[in-house]
């Protein structure tokens, strides 16, 4: 599996810095929920790719990434600087922030704990792994069809570039669908 960002710590730092730029302190629970959403939606938006190398497990309130949970247990480590995030990934994270950053940690908890994969893992108890395939399955169609979550097209805003005449144009990465061969007649 290919990753858009080399470390989940870079995603944490990106969200933390973005929150500070918006004059907001991001609560640890909210940070983990945004990371969870980003991971799931990224694979839906870019099939076959993960945003970051991360595994999510349950705690008493919802999904957490255990490495981040441990590293940031007492706040952001003082000398930890993030690596630059590629433009496409930064644009994607910005879309996640714009769509879900307005919600409180409690609102995100309620939203995610209704997610079937999260609910099933939470029923087994703390530190239960949330299967990645189940995360993606929910956001690929099941959630949008039931109205339980916005579709990836509603979350990832199009990139805007300029045409040769200077007019703004919305662009989206090419994502061909698998074609089924025609049956011989």
């Amino acid at each position: 599996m290919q990753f858009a960002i080399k470390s989940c710590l870079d995603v944490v730092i990106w969200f933390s810095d973005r929150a500070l730029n918006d004059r907001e302190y991001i609560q640890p629970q909210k940070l983990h929920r945004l990371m969870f959403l980003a991971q799931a939606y990224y694979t839906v938006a870019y099939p076959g790719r993960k945003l970051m190398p991360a595994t999510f497990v349950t705690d008493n309130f919802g999904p957490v990434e255990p490495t981040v949970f441990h590293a940031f247990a007492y706040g952001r480590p003082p000398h930890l600087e993030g690596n630059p995030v590629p433009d496409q990934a930064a644009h994607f994270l910005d879309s996640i922030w714009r769509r879900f950053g307005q919600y409180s940690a409690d609102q995100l908890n309620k939203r995610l704990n209704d997610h079937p994969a999260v609910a099933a893992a939470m029923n087994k108890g703390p530190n239960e792994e949330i299967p990645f395939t189940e995360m993606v399955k929910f956001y690929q169609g099941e959630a949008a069809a039931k109205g339980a979550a916005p579709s990836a097209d509603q979350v990832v805003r199009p990139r805007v570039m300029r045409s040769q005449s200077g007019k703004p144009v919305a662009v989206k990465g090419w994502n061909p669908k698998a074609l089924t061969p025609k049956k011989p007649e």
Side-chain angles (χ1 to χ4, degrees), residues 29-30 38 72 76 83 85 91 95-96 102 110 125 129-130 146 172 182:
Q29 281 188 35
K30 180 175 179 175
F72 287 75
R76 183 174 173 168
N83 294 309
V85 173
H91 175 77
S95 294
I96 293 293
Q102 67 198 5
K110 287 177 189 171
E129 184 175 344
I130 301 165
K146 293 179 181 177
K172 186 177 179 183
K182 291 184 179 181

Side-chain angles (χ1 to χ4, degrees), residues 39-128:
Q39 182 80 316
Y41 273 112
Y42 192 86
T43 300
V44 173
Y46 303 100
R49 297 188 70 198
K50 276 187 173 181
L51 177 64
M52 60 194 151
T55 300
F56 290 90
V57 300
T58 59
D59 74 357
N60 293 328
F61 303 104
V64 297
E65 205 294 323
T67 304
V68 170
F69 185 83
H70 177 69
F72 287 75
Y74 300 105
R76 183 174 173 168
H79 300 294
L80 183 64
E81 292 297 323
N83 294 309
V85 173
D87 287 345
Q88 179 188 28
H91 175 77
F92 178 82
L93 290 173
D94 186 62
S95 294
I96 293 293
W97 178 257
R98 287 173 181 264
R99 183 70 168 105
F100 299 106
Q102 67 198 5
Y103 296 110
S104 70
D106 289 338
Q107 290 170 318
L108 289 172
N109 286 340
K110 287 177 189 171
R111 181 178 286 249
L112 292 180
N113 293 346
D114 289 339
H115 180 295
V118 174
M122 288 185 74
N123 285 338
K124 293 178 183 178
N127 298 319
E128 184 68 30

